[in-house]
Amino acid sequence: MSSLTLANVSSPSATVDARELNVSDARWHDFVTRHPDALAFHRPEWVETIAACYGHRTLLLGAVNARGDVDAGVPVIEVRSLRRRRRWVALPFTDSCPLLLGPSASSDAFAAALRTARTDAGIESFELRTQLALAPGVHHDSDAVIHTTRLTGSPENLFARFHKSQVQRNVRRAERDGKLTIRRGVQPRDLTESYYRLHVQTRRRLGMPVQPRRFFESLWSHMLAPGHGQLLLAEADGGRPVAGAVLLAGTRTLTYKYGASDDAFWRLRPNNLLFWHALRTACEEGYDRFDWGRTDLGDHGLRAFKSGWAADEQPLVYTTLADAPPKAESGRALAAARVVLRRSPAFACRLAGELLYRYAA
């Protein structure tokens, strides 16, 4: 435990003693493992995946009860800007990371303790991938949505809830054609070579920087190899990978984190077959929810695609704790950068990711 101990924050229902803990604290691991709402992003291994790649400092802001057990917490990564300014993010490269609360924890009291933590530590801003109640110094931003499919009943009942023309018909056609097989990645090169090639191709097509290969090496060693997630590959005749999906496991929620495909094979509907396999397997393995991840508000095509899989759409609200509201990013500048990257060779997208991702967390 570090020397930082935050002031007690009282509420009508609870008193929270928030502390800075090590993210690898065994008490946090036990708390996450038992908590029904824990996502893959609450796992210490996910924080370690990011830190191992980009070299950031990690910490856990947690509340400890009278027995010494963690009763509330959120993992945090400290990011330094090019000008060496410090900010906290919970968490970078993470679609959603709600506060994880035990039965005796008060969300309002714990949120107040987080505000105190920021100011006591001299942090310029504290960005959380969740919505906290409005208060002085609390600022909201919402320019995206999140989709979740409830995995109730049998796989057959689940399939019947999908959109008939957009999903059911395409899945059946892919199965009937029989030109694709789905397999789970079982060795590091399945992710760092086979999937990574598709990932680079897809990010370039979308005009987006590419994560360094070492990020996927870290993802394999920290998350997939220990069984906290899986890689699915759709392969055409001859074993050529044409689509892939990285899925991360929480306690009851399976999260779709990364996906990529070769557009030359879209006629075979590899993504439809891949996602049906993922959803069916998640249902059979007893997961309650399939989380489709973040989608920008303006991406109407992707929103419609995810909704077709019996997914409920909800606003995705992020919170920044800071003295002043954060400056809005220039949509025009981002659009221009995407145009440039689409027209650039693949190595330019990889170089952009290598240079920017450490600071764009």
Side-chain angles (χ1 to χ4, degrees), residues 53-56 79-80 84 87 93 214 353-361:
C53 177
Y54 299 108
H56 297 309
V79 179
R80 290 182 180 266
R84 307 302 293 169
R87 61 188 176 96
F93 315 120
R214 68 178 181 277
E354 185 70 39
L355 295 174
L356 298 176
Y357 269 120
R358 175 177 172 81
Y359 304 101

Side-chain angles (χ1 to χ4, degrees), residues 17-348:
D17 177 22
R19 307 176 184 180
E20 182 182 338
L21 307 173
N22 192 308
V23 75
S24 61
D25 192 305
R27 294 172 296 176
W28 174 246
H29 179 273
D30 293 343
F31 183 65
V32 170
T33 302
R34 296 193 311 269
H35 203 293
D37 297 327
L39 302 177
F41 305 125
H42 291 108
R43 292 186 182 277
E45 294 86 355
W46 172 249
V47 185
E48 291 163 358
T49 295
I50 299 170
C53 177
Y54 299 108
H56 297 309
R57 173 177 174 255
T58 67
L59 61 144
L60 173 76
L61 292 177
V64 178
N65 61 27
R67 298 186 304 275
D69 300 324
V70 171
D71 200 39
V74 63
V76 179
I77 281 182
E78 183 173 299
V79 179
R80 290 182 180 266
S81 70
L82 288 169
R83 292 180 291 176
R84 307 302 293 169
R85 291 181 177 175
R86 299 159 60 218
R87 61 188 176 96
W88 285 348
V89 187
L91 281 162
F93 315 120
T94 300
D95 302 327
S96 177
C97 190
L99 306 184
L100 212 56
L101 303 172
S104 63
S106 159
S107 77
D108 289 343
F110 188 54
L114 297 181
R115 299 199 300 271
T116 303
R118 178 189 74 84
T119 55
D120 284 357
I123 298 297
E124 184 173 329
S125 70
F126 184 2
E127 304 165 24
L128 295 108
R129 305 296 195 244
T130 190
Q131 182 175 1
L132 302 185
L134 284 173
V138 177
H139 312 282
H140 287 167
D141 176 63
S142 181
D143 59 0
V145 295
I146 196 163
H147 293 81
T148 305
T149 298
R150 294 283 177 176
L151 304 176
T152 55
S154 66
E156 292 75 21
N157 291 337
L158 175 64
F159 188 86
R161 292 161 47 205
F162 299 157
H163 194 284
K164 286 184 170 54
S165 61
Q166 295 177 3
V167 177
Q168 291 184 14
R169 183 174 63 187
N170 286 322
V171 169
R172 287 173 176 143
R173 184 172 296 179
E175 291 177 332
R176 185 170 60 249
D177 289 346
K179 296 180 179 179
L180 297 172
T181 57
I182 306 296
R183 74 172 179 91
R184 182 177 295 198
V186 295
Q187 51 190 337
R189 67 184 184 188
D190 287 329
L191 181 66
T192 61
E193 296 180 15
S194 298
Y195 173 80
Y196 192 68
R197 283 194 295 269
L198 293 169
H199 189 77
V200 172
Q201 178 183 346
T202 299
R203 302 285 284 191
R204 177 176 180 268
R205 186 172 65 241
L206 297 174
M208 300 176 69
V210 179
Q211 294 90 341
R213 190 189 298 269
R214 68 178 181 277
F215 174 80
F216 289 94
E217 294 170 349
S218 181
L219 181 65
W220 180 270
S221 61
H222 288 99
M223 290 292 289
L224 303 195
H228 305 315
Q230 59 185 275
L231 166 67
L232 296 179
L233 292 170
E235 296 179 334
D237 292 340
R240 175 176 178 173
V242 298
V246 176
L247 309 170
L248 303 180
T251 307
R252 296 182 180 176
T253 301
L254 189 65
T255 297
Y256 166 55
K257 181 54 180 165
Y258 299 110
S261 61
D262 185 339
D263 55 353
F265 290 85
W266 281 354
R267 68 187 186 281
L268 300 180
R269 297 164 180 81
N271 291 316
N272 295 92
L273 196 62
L274 196 68
F275 285 124
W276 169 228
H277 180 94
L279 284 155
R280 183 180 65 233
T281 303
C283 191
E284 292 170 345
E285 292 179 351
Y287 287 98
D288 293 340
R289 297 175 294 271
F290 187 91
D291 170 14
W292 291 86
R294 173 193 168 108
T295 307
D296 292 340
L297 278 175
D299 197 338
H300 301 290
L302 186 56
R303 289 171 65 183
F305 175 80
K306 292 179 178 180
S307 295
W309 296 85
D312 296 324
E313 179 181 288
Q314 297 291 332
L316 190 58
V317 181
Y318 291 164
T319 301
T320 299
L321 308 181
D323 296 337
K327 294 181 179 179
E329 295 181 346
S330 170
R332 184 175 300 178
L334 292 174
R338 286 193 168 191
V339 171
V340 172
L341 288 176
R342 287 192 194 103
R343 297 174 178 175
S344 302
F347 81 83

